[in-house]
Amino acid sequence: MTPEAAYQNLLEFQRETAYLASLGALAAWDQRTMIPKKGHAHRAKQMAALAKLLHGRMTDPRIGEWLERVEGSHLVQDPFSDAAVNVREWRQAYERARAIPERLAVELAEAESESESYWEEARPKDDWRGFLPYLKRVFSLTREKAEILYALPVPQGDPPYGEPYDALLEGYEPGMRAAELLPLFAQLRQGLAGLLDRILGSPKRPDTTLLHRSYPKEAQRAFALELLRACGYDLEAGRLDPTAHPFEISIGPGDVRITTRYFQDFFNAGIFGTLHEMGHALYEQGLPPEHWGTPRGEAVSLGVHESQSRTWENLVGRSLGFWERFFPRAQAHFPSLEGVGLEDFHFAVNAVAPSLIRVEADEVTYNLHILVRLELELALFRGELSLEDLPGAWAEKYRAYLGVAPRDYKDGVMQDVHWSGGLFGYFPTYTLGNLYAAQFFAKAEEELGDLEGLFRLGEFRPFLDWTRRKIHAEGSRFRPKALVERVTGAPPSAGPFLAYLEGKYRALYAL
């Protein structure tokens, strides 16, 4: 078989696998938005059956044979050609999938589905004791998976794994390791703590009560849809639905969906949650459709993905220019904003205050929430913390880092869906996303000029087009750190993010 024929076989086989996986994405969206209450048990069995089918395809020996025919051939001489990128990523995915026994893949898929479903009902009831057995099962299986993957060779050019947790992190942020994260987070924490102390010491305070007036859910939805259209989200290729925990999910080209949650008496959650998920969706809608079903057409990492969502939520969506454009429209949708000044509103949506809920945290304190989760995850996987002791450890870290502590489980250890779905190693990508976002945004402004001035005029296309040329169109051609350096001219750093926060909040709080 020629390398060309082997590569064609790979393309056809992997795209068919991607079609099957996309049906799983559709089932996952349905489970978190529309499924009848009594349908969860059957859905868990469906997801387990699909996991078994996908695992069989992902470990098919023919993949290894085809890869061997292509690797070392003229097709992959240029390491950044489409074929070379696909082969590189397919090889890693094949080795990781082949290392996981079918039994573990199926058990994990079923356990995650059951755990997520139970979490959705248990969180509002504050039912930690009922949820704990589900979490224990997911964690036990995920730890088994981590230990298996830890034994694998790392991709060429990447740093070695230092511990099993690194092997999970690799699945979300290729090339990143805990040993690199911890000093980066320490530098960030030091910078954030100093800024937070100065903000909390400022006599200038925003009136955040105006965010807790009457905001009818239907009006929020109408306003959210208006913002989506203005920013460039293609609603003919997506949709917006309510859910317990906001998310974006890509079914495939022409079908990239987002969800949010609304509170009648709180403005931020529904509107900024929508902008956040829109950022994810804009990335997915900007990936090259001709490469769908291959790594060349996939997002490079969750950190880069998060950079897009945090950009649109914060650097765009919380800018003064954005609200100079849209505050009159907000007032038209919400009579409760009558008489509120633009600057007062802008200050309120950028208020800084230590809080319990990560998804509602301000830009200054948000990454401290992530630091708590990173340290707890590492302690769990290092055997330094048991799941039974997790709520106490959570409260202790919140008191130490944010000066607050939860009074219940639903606003504490149960607030996020991630652990119920086995997403250990995922949380650090949120902070990496913040760092990448600031670095990308600074470079875009250097090349495009005053971005906030464009937003003031309702012109979002120049910035969106810039991100699509520089980031989205590349798919997984470059590893995350290499992509950041290629786009911005510098390796990933906390510096641009801290500089952005310093400039913004010095003006807001008259520091």
Side-chain angles (χ1 to χ4, degrees):
M1 183 182 296
T2 65
E4 289 82 1
Y7 184 69
Q8 188 61 37
N9 286 343
L10 278 166
L11 278 176
E12 293 173 1
F13 186 85
Q14 300 286 31
R15 280 203 170 116
E16 186 174 333
T17 302
Y19 280 117
L20 293 171
S22 73
L23 291 174
L26 182 60
W29 171 85
D30 176 73
Q31 185 171 6
R32 294 169 66 181
T33 55
M34 311 289 282
I35 194 171
K37 182 178 179 179
K38 294 183 178 180
H40 286 289
H42 181 65
R43 182 57 46 83
K45 297 296 184 183
Q46 288 178 309
M47 299 302 278
L50 181 60
K52 182 176 181 179
L53 174 63
L54 290 174
H55 185 266
R57 292 185 64 87
M58 292 167 67
T59 58
D60 191 309
R62 290 177 296 174
I63 294 177
E65 296 169 5
W66 293 328
L67 285 171
E68 287 180 3
R69 296 296 300 167
V70 178
E71 290 168 333
S73 76
H74 66 281
L75 294 178
V76 296
Q77 284 183 347
D78 176 359
F80 300 117
S81 69
D82 295 342
V85 170
N86 288 336
V87 168
R88 179 193 73 207
E89 298 300 320
W90 280 335
R91 168 60 75 181
Q92 184 180 11
Y94 177 64
E95 297 301 336
R96 284 172 70 92
R98 192 169 61 157
I100 303 298
E102 181 186 275
R103 181 270 313 163
L104 177 57
V106 173
E107 281 189 42
L108 194 51
E110 187 171 2
E112 290 167 351
S113 181
E114 291 174 346
S115 181
E116 281 194 40
S117 298
Y118 193 90
W119 171 86
E120 287 192 6
E121 291 192 10
R123 186 192 174 214
K125 299 175 183 176
D126 206 37
D127 181 15
W128 167 253
R129 292 187 181 278
F131 175 60
L132 183 57
Y134 291 88
L135 183 60
K136 280 185 173 182
R137 184 181 178 214
V138 168
F139 177 73
S140 175
L141 294 169
T142 304
R143 183 167 55 187
E144 182 182 353
K145 172 183 173 181
E147 290 170 353
I148 291 171
L149 296 177
Y150 174 61
L152 295 178
V154 300
Q156 187 175 5
D158 282 356
Y161 296 144
E163 55 188 300
Y165 184 80
D166 286 341
L168 296 178
L169 185 58
E170 172 72 20
Y172 304 116
E173 196 66 16
M176 185 57 67
R177 304 291 181 257
E180 184 177 353
L181 280 176
L182 290 174
L184 183 63
F185 273 61
Q187 175 193 2
L188 188 58
R189 183 190 172 196
Q190 183 177 9
L192 293 174
L195 177 59
L196 181 59
D197 286 343
R198 285 186 288 139
I199 289 172
L200 295 180
S202 171
K204 188 178 180 184
R205 313 303 301 171
D207 176 14
T208 57
T209 62
L210 62 88
L211 301 175
H212 294 275
R213 298 177 179 179
S214 174
Y215 297 101
K217 291 183 179 181
E218 283 306 311
Q220 287 191 56
R221 173 175 166 78
F223 185 47
L225 289 169
E226 185 174 330
L227 296 178
L228 290 174
R229 292 188 184 95
C231 292
Y233 175 65
D234 185 356
L235 279 160
E236 292 187 354
R239 54 183 292 132
L240 174 67
D241 295 280
T243 191
H245 190 100
F247 66 95
E248 170 274 326
I249 194 164
S250 179
I251 311 302
D255 191 354
V256 179
R257 308 181 184 196
I258 60 178
T259 68
T260 194
R261 58 182 175 184
Y262 309 106
F263 297 94
Q264 295 272 138
D265 59 351
F266 186 41
F267 179 88
N268 285 13
I271 301 306
F272 289 105
T274 298
L275 291 174
H276 179 96
E277 300 307 333
M278 179 196 73
H280 284 302
L282 289 174
Y283 189 3
E284 291 291 328
Q285 289 186 339
L287 291 169
E290 67 273 18
H291 292 297
W292 184 84
T294 75
R296 182 62 184 79
E298 295 172 354
V300 61
S301 76
L302 288 182
V304 174
H305 225 305
E306 193 64 19
S307 77
Q308 303 305 284
S309 62
R310 296 295 283 178
T311 291
W312 286 93
E313 177 189 358
N314 293 325
L315 287 92
V316 178
R318 281 189 163 90
S319 70
L320 181 58
F322 184 89
W323 288 108
E324 284 178 323
R325 178 69 178 181
F326 289 113
F327 187 58
R329 297 298 306 142
Q331 290 179 308
H333 282 282
F334 309 111
S336 58
L337 288 174
E338 184 179 354
V340 175
L342 167 64
E343 291 188 0
D344 291 337
F345 176 82
H346 177 248
F347 195 10
V349 300
N350 284 287
V352 174
S355 62
L356 294 171
I357 306 300
R358 174 187 64 85
V359 296
E360 297 168 10
D362 57 81
E363 291 179 89
V364 176
T365 63
Y366 181 90
N367 295 291
L368 299 175
H369 291 258
I370 303 304
L371 178 58
V372 168
R373 289 153 176 78
L374 170 61
E375 291 184 351
L376 291 175
E377 286 189 344
L378 285 171
L380 287 169
F381 278 89
R382 291 171 176 175
E384 300 165 355
L385 178 68
S386 70
L387 287 168
E388 287 86 353
D389 294 332
L390 190 57
W394 178 289
E396 182 181 339
K397 287 189 179 294
Y398 262 77
R399 277 191 290 266
Y401 296 163
L402 288 148
V404 296
R407 297 179 179 178
D408 51 34
Y409 299 115
K410 64 182 177 63
D411 288 342
V413 72
M414 290 183 68
Q415 71 176 261
D416 293 303
V417 69
H418 302 64
W419 289 342
S420 69
L423 298 179
F424 294 92
Y426 186 115
F427 277 115
T429 66
Y430 285 120
T431 287
L432 292 171
N434 282 326
L435 304 188
Y436 299 162
Q439 207 161 329
F440 287 143
F441 197 84
K443 187 63 176 180
E445 191 151 54
E446 179 185 317
E447 296 185 1
L448 299 176
D450 179 18
L451 291 178
E452 198 166 337
L454 293 175
F455 304 155
R456 186 177 297 115
L457 299 172
E459 295 182 9
F460 299 97
R461 179 58 63 175
F463 176 61
L464 177 59
D465 287 346
W466 186 92
T467 61
R468 287 192 162 158
R469 287 195 311 274
K470 302 280 188 173
I471 303 167
H472 305 177
E474 298 292 2
S476 290
R477 189 193 302 274
F478 305 103
R479 305 290 263 183
K481 285 183 277 189
L483 176 67
V484 172
E485 187 160 5
R486 184 179 179 87
V487 172
T488 69
S493 164
F497 179 65
L498 290 171
Y500 155 71
L501 292 182
E502 178 69 29
K504 177 175 183 174
Y505 288 97
R506 185 193 306 121
L508 284 170
Y509 281 89
L511 301 179

